[in-house]
């Protein structure tokens, strides 16, 4: 049942254009790396781990189609391609994690063009396979936090559609569901791009996992009425200080969850942990104001020239987080103390 969000097809990359969901299920195929960079910018491929995998496949495509025998020129070309992908989206660290993995192979390589082509392509496939494996482990590690009968609120989409498969936050929900726990999900719509309404609802419904949709401003009400027992979200970047950078609106949800004593769980691979950046150095992507002025580029809901603030992500401080679940262990509260332990 699970979708193939992005995959390598021997010299081509294929992805599901998530901007068209849930109306249309359109797969796009290309052999042009620039088309993949544009797909990341336009959110056809989105979600921190999926962006990293797609960028790695983009470099693999660039390598696959290269024709010249000079290895130094080839290396410089690939490093320019990496720079192109680094400019697509600034916040999700998985992108830079994947780019750095490929980059260090290129820099340290001494051999011919064909050897380097093979190496880059194999590395991209490894990054893809690793992501699926890691998500399944996150699901298993998260199982103990989910009880039979839980109603779990999630924000944005941290599912198969945000990764190479299975998902992080939705991976934990999947693991619980397939182990027999009767859970229900409340998905926030996630303005302005509606990843919750369009993607999370679609992905869970496809597998028969019960899901109800709310608008973002209903979170306080449903929590105050006792309708939510846990919150679980993914992350785009987690600092060693325990700050979690995730889809805009996550911070608000964590604050209300804390007010009502509702556990706030974050599920993410270790490739989302950024050990270098300090909280005031994090670059929050500011997106096109028309995402806010229009609903999905179609209906204008305000004055056409109104000034807009459109940050794509926000920062949740460690004191509002109950648990961070990774493939390699779990950091319980206080996460600022416990996260560095598992990061080692
Ligand atoms: O702008 P997006 O759709 O790329 O934002 C995605 C999120 O914020 C997800 O919650 C995050 O990447 C985790 S995905 C496993």
């Amino acid at each position: 049942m699970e979708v193939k969000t992005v995959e390598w097809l021997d010299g081509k990359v294929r992805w599901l254009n998530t901007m068209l969901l849930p109306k249309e299920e359109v797969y796009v195929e290309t052999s042009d790396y620039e088309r993949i960079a544009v797909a990341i910018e336009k959110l056809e491929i989105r979600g921190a781990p999926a962006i990293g995998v797609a960028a790695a496949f983009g470099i693999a495509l660039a390598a696959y189609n290269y024709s010249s025998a000079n290895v130094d020129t080839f290396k410089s070309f690939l490093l320019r391609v990496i720079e192109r992908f680094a400019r697509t989206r600034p916040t999700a660290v998985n992108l830079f994690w994947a780019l750095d993995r490929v980059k260090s192979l290129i820099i340290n390589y001494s051999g011919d063009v064909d050897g380097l082509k093979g190496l880059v392509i194999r590395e991209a496939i490894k990054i893809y396979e690793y992501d699926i494996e890691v998500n399944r482990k996150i699901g298993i590690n998260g199982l103990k936090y989910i009880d039979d009968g839980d109603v779990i609120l999630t924000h944005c989409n941290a599912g198969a559609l945000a990764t190479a498969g299975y998902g992080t936050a939705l991976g934990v929900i999947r693991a619980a569901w397939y182990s027999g726990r009767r859970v229900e999900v409340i998905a926030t719509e996630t303005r302005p791009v509606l990843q919750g309404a369009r993607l999370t609802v679609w992905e869970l419904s496809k597998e028969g996992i019960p899901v109800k949709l709310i608008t973002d401003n209903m979170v306080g009400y449903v929590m105050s009425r006792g309708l939510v027992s846990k919150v679980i979200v993914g992350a785009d970047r987690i600092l060693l200080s325990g700050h979690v950078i995730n889809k805009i609106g996550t911070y608000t949800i964590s604050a209300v969850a804390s007010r009502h004593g509702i556990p706030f769980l974050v599920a993410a691979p270790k490739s989302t942990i950024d050990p270098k950046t300090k909280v005031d150095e994090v670059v929050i992507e500011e997106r096109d104001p028309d995402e806010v002025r229009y609903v999905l580029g179609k209906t204008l809901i305000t004055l056409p020239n109104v000034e807009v603030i459109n940050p794509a992500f926000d920062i949740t401080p460690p004191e509002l987080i109950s648990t961070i679940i990774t493939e390699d262990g779990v950091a319980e509260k206080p996460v600022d103390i416990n996260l560095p332990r598992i990061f080692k």
Side-chain angles (χ1 to χ4, degrees), residues 18 40 43 45-51 89 92 94 131 135 154-163 167-170 190 193 195 198-199 233-237 245-248 250 267-269 272 285 287 312-313:
T18 64
I40 294 172
L43 308 184
I45 307 169
R46 37 64 57 197
I51 297 172
R89 295 192 76 190
N94 308 60
D131 187 55
N135 290 336
T154 189
H155 187 55
C156 192
N157 172 269
L161 291 170
T163 59
T168 55
L170 296 193
T190 320
V193 186
Q195 290 94 331
R198 295 186 302 103
L199 309 181
V233 295
D236 289 84
R237 192 183 283 248
I245 295 94
N246 191 47
K247 179 52 56 193
I248 189 76
T250 304
T272 303
E285 178 181 6
R287 292 189 59 85
F313 304 97

